[in-house]
Amino acid sequence: MLSVLRNPTYRRLFGAQVVALTGTGLATVALSLLAYDLAGANAAAVLGTALAIKMAAYVALAPLVGALADRVPRRALLVSMDLARAAVVLALPFVSRVWQVYVLILLLQAASAAFTPAFQATIPQVLPDERDYTRALSLARLAYDLESLASPVLAAALLTVVPYAWLFAGTAAGFVASALLVRTTALPAPASRLDPKGVGGANPCPRTYARALSGIRLVLAAPRLRALLALDLAVAAAGAVVLVDTVILVRDTLGRPAGDVPLALGAYGAGSMTVALLLPRVLERGGDRAVMVRAAFVLPGALGLLALGLTVTPGAWSWPALLLVWLVTGAAGSAVLTPGGRVVRGSVRSGDLPAAFAARFSLSHACWLLTYPLAGLLAATTGPAASAAVLTAVALAGATGAAALWPREDPAVGRRTPVPAAEAPVAEVPAAQAPDAPGPAVQAPDAPGPAAQAPAVQGSAPEAPALAPASSQRGSRISRPSRTTSSP
C-alpha cells in the first residue's frame, strides 16, 4: 500500500491531508466538550444542530464549488481554504453563546465544502493507475481515521495538562501546515481547462448553477452511483449515533470522565483503520459491490445491539461493550466508504471528475444532514436507546436500497467513457517539477491490476468507440458516448 507514496506529488498531498485531519480530530473532541459546557445535558442537541449546519454547507456549496473548480488554479483554491479554516478555528475558544458556535461552524464548513471535493478530484489525476488509486483511497481512509483514533488519543493526553480550548490551536496549526505542503506541490491542471470548448468539443455550461446540476445528473444517471448514495445513508445513520451520542453515552449514561470520550471515538477509528489496511487486497479478490453491500448490512446490526443494550441497567460490562460496538461500526463504515472513490472514478470521464466528486460529496452529506439532527433530537428528548433504534431502521433501509439499486452483474471496476488524448492532465508548473506518470495504454474494466492505460482514461469499456487519430483538430473523435455508462 505504501508504494504509492513514491509519487512525490501524492506524498505531499497525503501529508497535507494527515496534518489537517489530525487537527480536525482535536477540534471534534474540543467541540463536544465545548457543547457540554454551554448546554450540559442538551449537548447532544447542540452537537446535532452544529453538525447539521456543517452538512447544510456541504450540500449547498459543494456542487457550486465543483462547477467553478476548473476555472480557478487548483493550488490557490486549496491553500486559501486551508488558511480560512485556520482563522475560523482560532475564534472558537472565545465563544460564550451557542449561536456563536453555529455561526463559526457555518464559516468553517463552507471553507471545507470548497476544499474537500477539489482535493478529491485531484488525486485520480495525480495517480491514473487503478491499483495506485485504490491504495491511495485506503491511505485516505486511514488519514480520515486519524480524526477518530490518533487525534482523540492525543486529545486525551493533552487534556491532562491543558484546558480543552487549547485543542483548537492544534487544529489551526494543522490547517496551516496543510496549506504550506500544498503550496509547495506541483498539481495537475483540471482537464477541462485544457480544452476551452469542454469535453469532446462540447460547449461548457454557460451558467454556474447549470454546471452544478450537471454534476448531480452525472451521479444520478448510473445505477451504481445511486446505490452509492443509499450506502451513504446507511453509513450516515451509524456515524451520527457515534459522533452525536457518544458524549451523552459516556458522560451521562455510563457516568465516566471526560477523558473517556476520545477513547470511545478512538475505538470507532480503530475499526475503520484496520479495515482500510486490509481493503486493497480484499478488493482485488472481490468486487466493490460484494464488499460494500455486505458491510452495509453490518451497520444496522451493530446499532440494533446498541439499542438493545441500552434498555437494561448499565453494569461493568457496559463500557467494553460500547467500545466493541463502536469498533465494529467503524470497521463496517470503512468497508463501505473507502471504495467509493473507485466507483465514482469508474463511472465518469476525467474531465467530469470535479463535478462528479462535488455532487457526490453534496448528496452524501445530505444524508448526514438528515441523520445528525435526528440523532441529537431523539437523544435529547427520548433518550439514546430510542435514537439508536430509529437510526437502526434508517441504516437498514439504506443497506436494503443499495442491494436493490446496484445490479448484481455490474463489473467490479466501473466503466468510463473515453476522452481525447488532448485532455490528459498537465502540471500547473514547469515540466521539470511535474510528477512522474505512467505511460499511455488502455486497461480493461474488470482488471484491477496495472495494465497499460491512458493518463485520462481508466477502465474504458471494451465496446467503447476508438479515439480518432491525432490530428490538428483537437478533441475530434468518431462518436461521443454518454457521460455515464453502466452495465444494466
Side-chain angles (χ1 to χ4, degrees):
M1 181 193 298
L2 297 180
S3 60
V4 71
L5 295 176
R6 295 172 185 168
N7 183 304
T9 299
Y10 177 71
R11 185 168 61 245
R12 285 178 173 270
L13 291 177
F14 180 68
Q17 189 176 28
V18 167
V19 295
L21 287 173
T22 301
T24 302
L26 297 178
T28 300
V29 175
L31 185 61
S32 297
L33 296 174
L34 175 63
Y36 191 81
D37 274 356
L38 293 176
N42 291 325
V46 173
L47 276 178
T49 303
L51 294 173
I53 291 172
K54 167 184 174 178
M55 296 303 118
Y58 284 173
V59 171
L61 297 179
L64 299 179
V65 174
L68 295 171
D70 58 351
R71 302 181 183 181
V72 180
R74 187 70 54 83
R75 184 167 50 187
L77 173 64
L78 296 176
V79 170
S80 60
M81 292 303 101
D82 263 338
L83 296 178
R85 293 191 292 181
V88 173
V89 164
L90 287 176
L92 277 170
F94 303 101
V95 302
S96 57
R97 298 289 186 273
V98 169
W99 68 266
Q100 295 170 347
V101 174
Y102 295 157
V103 171
L104 291 176
I105 290 297
L106 176 61
L107 295 176
L108 176 65
Q109 303 309 329
S112 293
F115 179 93
T116 305
F119 184 90
Q120 291 175 339
T122 301
I123 302 303
Q125 294 177 323
V126 171
L127 299 172
D129 180 81
E130 185 73 22
R131 277 190 175 181
D132 285 344
Y133 183 55
T134 301
R135 296 185 184 104
L137 289 175
S138 290
L139 284 176
R141 183 72 251 161
L142 292 175
Y144 278 108
D145 291 338
L146 287 173
E147 181 178 344
S148 53
L149 180 59
S151 294
V153 171
L154 177 61
L158 291 174
L159 287 173
T160 63
V161 293
V162 297
Y164 70 80
W166 284 94
L167 299 182
F168 292 117
T171 301
F175 287 142
V176 171
S178 172
L180 291 174
L181 284 169
V182 174
R183 179 65 183 84
T184 57
T185 303
L187 301 183
S192 55
R193 288 178 61 195
L194 305 176
D195 184 359
K197 292 188 177 182
V199 176
N203 290 328
C205 297
R207 306 174 75 177
T208 299
Y209 284 98
R211 291 169 64 84
L213 291 176
S214 71
I216 295 176
R217 285 194 295 268
L218 281 174
V219 171
L220 298 180
R224 72 168 67 86
L225 295 184
R226 293 196 295 270
L228 192 59
L229 293 179
L231 293 172
D232 288 331
L233 178 62
V235 174
V241 174
V242 173
L243 298 178
V244 174
D245 292 351
T246 293
V247 66
I248 297 299
L249 291 172
V250 173
R251 299 285 279 141
D252 288 351
T253 304
L254 301 182
R256 300 189 69 87
D260 283 351
V261 173
L263 294 181
L265 295 174
Y268 177 76
S272 184
M273 291 185 74
T274 301
V275 169
L277 287 170
L278 300 175
L279 207 54
R281 290 188 178 183
V282 174
L283 291 174
E284 288 181 2
R285 299 177 182 178
D288 292 341
R289 183 188 188 279
V291 172
M292 298 171 73
V293 172
R294 289 171 185 173
F297 279 102
V298 175
L299 295 170
L303 290 184
L305 288 176
L306 174 67
L308 184 63
L310 290 173
T311 61
V312 300
T313 304
W317 56 271
S318 300
W319 174 240
L322 178 64
L323 295 179
L324 179 60
V325 170
W326 269 200
L327 182 78
V328 172
T329 303
S334 179
V336 174
L337 289 176
T338 303
R342 283 166 48 104
V343 179
V344 175
R345 185 195 192 196
S347 302
V348 302
R349 294 179 293 195
S350 180
D352 291 328
L353 282 175
F357 272 106
R360 192 252 168 156
F361 184 81
S362 173
L363 294 173
S364 66
H365 283 85
C367 300
W368 293 88
L369 180 59
L370 167 68
T371 59
Y372 269 147
L374 184 61
L377 178 63
L378 289 173
T381 57
T382 60
S387 175
V390 171
L391 288 165
T392 296
V394 175
L396 182 60
T400 304
L405 289 170
W406 198 331
R408 290 183 178 273
E409 302 302 321
D410 209 39
V413 178
R415 299 179 180 178
R416 296 180 69 193
T417 53
V419 294
E423 294 178 17
V426 297
E428 293 181 351
V429 298
Q433 302 177 27
D436 296 334
V442 179
Q443 179 175 341
D446 289 331
Q453 55 182 239
V457 182
Q458 270 291 337
S460 55
E463 69 270 22
L467 299 179
S471 68
S472 59
Q473 298 178 349
R474 290 183 61 189
S476 62
R477 59 204 297 177
I478 292 176
S479 63
R480 183 173 181 241
S482 62
R483 284 181 174 266
T484 308
T485 58
S486 174
S487 290

